[in-house]
Amino acid sequence: QITLKESGPTLVKPTQTLTLTCTFSGFSLSTSGVGVGWIRQPPGKALEWLALIYWDDDKRYSPSLKSRLTITKDTSKNQVVLTMTNMDPVDTATYYCAHRRYCGGDCYSVWGQGTLVTVSS
Amino acid sequence: DIQMTQSPSSLSASVGDRVTITCRASQGISNSLAWYQQKPGKAPKLLLYAASRLESGVPSRFSGSGSGTDYTLTISSLQPEDFATYYCQQYYSTLRTFGQGTKVEIK
């Protein structure tokens, strides 16, 4: 059974750097075709795709946020870390990590429960 | 960026109704489309991928179709547990974009 869980601060101040950790089980990030993505959702708004890391350490970022995002993996710990610099109140959202499997592209077949991050001074 | 436009943004329907949600891409996406269902306070759930392929465990009343820029999600007979918000997502381009969502409410 695949599970993922996000962890990190619930409150960050403007201009600070956010570090979120996705801890997963039930799959290995060294298996071909597998990846872990990050998606966020501001309160009451739509989903926004942020970043994805593949089993081979290839990475993809949202172009509009690329300068602020870094995604890394620690295969031995079954963790993926997302950092976002220069946080702003508009970055207030629930942040989800999700298991990516190959479906002709990126399908996010299992999601974490999400973690709400509030940006406020 | 490929923009994904869903319509309608919300709809009211009754149990047993046939419901259709449309997703239009700003350029062709070659069936690189997934549909997700999200209930309040919960994470999204993958329903379909490759425009028409049903994810394992998803009821067969859900179906998808389309090509090029226009895609649809159909629920053949709406059940109480289907009241939720539905999102399309393209994975054709580097920036994987979601639609703005369609909320299906009880009439």
Side-chain angles (χ1 to χ4, degrees):
Chain A
Q1 179 190 5
I2 292 174
T3 64
L4 305 97
K5 187 172 184 180
E6 307 86 354
S7 59
T10 57
L11 179 67
V12 297
K13 291 180 169 31
T15 75
Q16 286 186 335
T17 294
L18 171 68
T19 299
L20 294 173
T21 300
C22 177
T23 303
F24 58 85
S25 63
F27 68 96
S28 171
L29 242 187
S30 57
T31 299
S32 180
V34 172
V36 171
W38 285 93
I39 301 100
R40 71 179 179 180
Q41 186 172 38
K45 297 188 177 180
L47 300 163
E48 178 183 15
W49 179 81
L50 300 177
L52 170 63
I53 189 164
Y54 294 94
W55 77 100
D56 59 359
D57 210 37
D58 193 12
K59 300 163 188 176
R60 296 286 184 268
Y61 295 101
S62 168
S64 64
L65 294 169
K66 185 174 183 178
S67 64
R68 299 174 53 204
L69 294 173
T70 303
I71 189 169
T72 60
K73 64 181 176 70
D74 185 330
T75 305
S76 64
K77 292 184 178 179
N78 281 353
Q79 290 182 333
V80 170
V81 175
L82 180 77
T83 61
M84 180 179 290
T85 61
N86 195 25
M87 293 292 285
D88 184 271
V90 300
D91 297 313
T92 294
T94 295
Y95 288 74
Y96 295 99
C97 63
H99 169 266
R100 179 267 190 191
R101 67 171 179 81
Y102 181 71
C103 58
D106 299 334
C107 286
Y108 294 103
S109 55
V110 183
W111 295 57
Q113 63 189 24
T115 185
L116 176 61
V117 177
T118 301
V119 184
S120 174
S121 55
Chain B
D1 300 352
I2 298 178
Q3 309 301 319
M4 305 301 291
T5 304
Q6 288 183 233
S7 60
S9 56
S10 66
L11 64 90
S12 296
S14 301
V15 173
D17 283 353
R18 181 182 182 88
V19 169
T20 299
I21 297 169
T22 297
C23 183
R24 173 166 289 176
S26 58
Q27 66 184 75
I29 57 172
S30 297
N31 289 2
S32 299
L33 185 89
W35 288 97
Y36 295 87
Q37 175 194 66
Q38 187 179 33
K39 296 182 179 179
K42 301 294 187 182
K45 173 188 174 183
L46 177 65
L47 298 177
L48 297 113
Y49 62 93
S52 61
R53 293 181 177 251
L54 203 63
E55 176 71 351
S56 176
V58 174
S60 59
R61 63 181 179 273
F62 292 92
S63 64
S65 65
S67 63
T69 60
D70 295 329
Y71 299 86
T72 60
L73 169 69
T74 299
I75 309 172
S76 60
S77 177
L78 198 65
Q79 298 300 300
E81 61 268 29
D82 301 336
F83 292 94
T85 300
Y86 294 84
Y87 293 93
C88 62
Q89 183 225 343
Q90 63 81 18
Y91 45 84
Y92 182 78
S93 73
T94 298
L95 175 57
R96 283 79 161 143
T97 42
F98 289 88
Q100 82 278 17
T102 295
K103 187 174 184 179
V104 177
E105 299 175 300
I106 302 173
K107 180 183 284 186

